[in-house]
Amino acid sequence: MIIDDYKHKGLRKKLVKELQGKGIYDQAVLDSILNVPRHIFLDTAFLEQAYTDKAFQIGEGQTISQPYTVAFQTQLLEIKKGEKVLEIGTGSGYQASVLCYMETKLYSIERIKSLSKNASLIFQKLGYKPELMVGDGSLGWKVHSPFQKIIVTAGAPLAPEPLLEQLDLGGILVIPIGDQKVQTMVRYKKDLTGKITKEEHGIFKFVPLLGEKAWKTTQKI
Ligand code: SAH
């Protein structure tokens, strides 16, 4: 059962104000942050901090992104209801839940099985039904392509070409690109003729995207 009382809701209201102050203006994104209970993605020990604008450890050396980062990436996606969206890096499931709340048809890939499993239990509790896969998201998810939107929530050395290929005409890919410490948020737009343009949107810090078309890893999935 989920405990989400007036105190949590009050803290989310404050968080939304803070995000507006930092430049988030997309009302659908703000509504989603206002409604998705972030505290259930963290250990109960961190309950107090769930609505501060900070990233947290979620185990396996991975993190739940900072609310501002989640809001900023989601805003760059220009989400419309009913769109097919691919997320790489399910992690805690928080970003995925923000996208599900916005009524997207979500597909999410995570390379660490235990994280995907934990996230799936939370989706059940929240009544969201994303399609989940444990595997290498740098390869995309071809059978379900094309996707109108693709979001990568780990830092990559470059945009994996399968993701650009699996992006629909008129689609948007948002991905942090850089080295393993610091990245630039990049937005790719594919126009209706298939031409791809690139914009840069500031500096962020993510855990690395590991995989065949990203940072090489010897670890097995
Ligand atoms: N979206 C998450 C943030 C997760 S951090 C959230 O809201 O909590 C990034 C995640 O990407 C980590 O869980 C990491 O295991 C995963 N990851 C890294 N490389 C990956 C790959 N090639 N395929 C799928 N997931 C990957």
Side-chain angles (χ1 to χ4, degrees), residues 62-64 87 89-92 95 110-111 115 135-137 153 210:
Q62 305 303 328
T63 51
I64 173 172
E87 179 193 29
T90 315
S92 68
Q95 169 75 71
E110 170 56 54
R111 59 184 289 278
L115 293 180
D136 180 2
T153 66
L210 303 174

Side-chain angles (χ1 to χ4, degrees), residues 60-87:
E60 308 279 355
Q62 305 303 328
T63 51
I64 173 172
S65 302
Q66 190 182 337
Y68 173 73
T69 306
V70 171
F72 188 74
Q73 281 197 287
T74 312
Q75 180 167 279
L76 285 177
L77 286 174
E78 297 175 3
I79 294 292
K80 294 179 198 72
K81 279 183 191 170
E83 282 183 330
K84 208 200 268 188
V85 180
L86 175 65
E87 179 193 29

Side-chain angles (χ1 to χ4, degrees), residues 29-76:
V29 174
L30 294 166
D31 278 352
S32 186
I33 303 272
L34 184 63
N35 283 286
V36 174
R38 188 170 187 260
H39 62 278
I40 68 168
F41 296 87
L42 303 178
D43 277 346
T44 44
F46 295 118
L47 211 57
E48 294 298 310
Q49 288 105 313
Y51 296 108
T52 56
D53 190 18
K54 291 204 177 98
F56 280 99
Q57 300 295 325
I58 52 168
E60 308 279 355
Q62 305 303 328
T63 51
I64 173 172
S65 302
Q66 190 182 337
Y68 173 73
T69 306
V70 171
F72 188 74
Q73 281 197 287
T74 312
Q75 180 167 279
L76 285 177

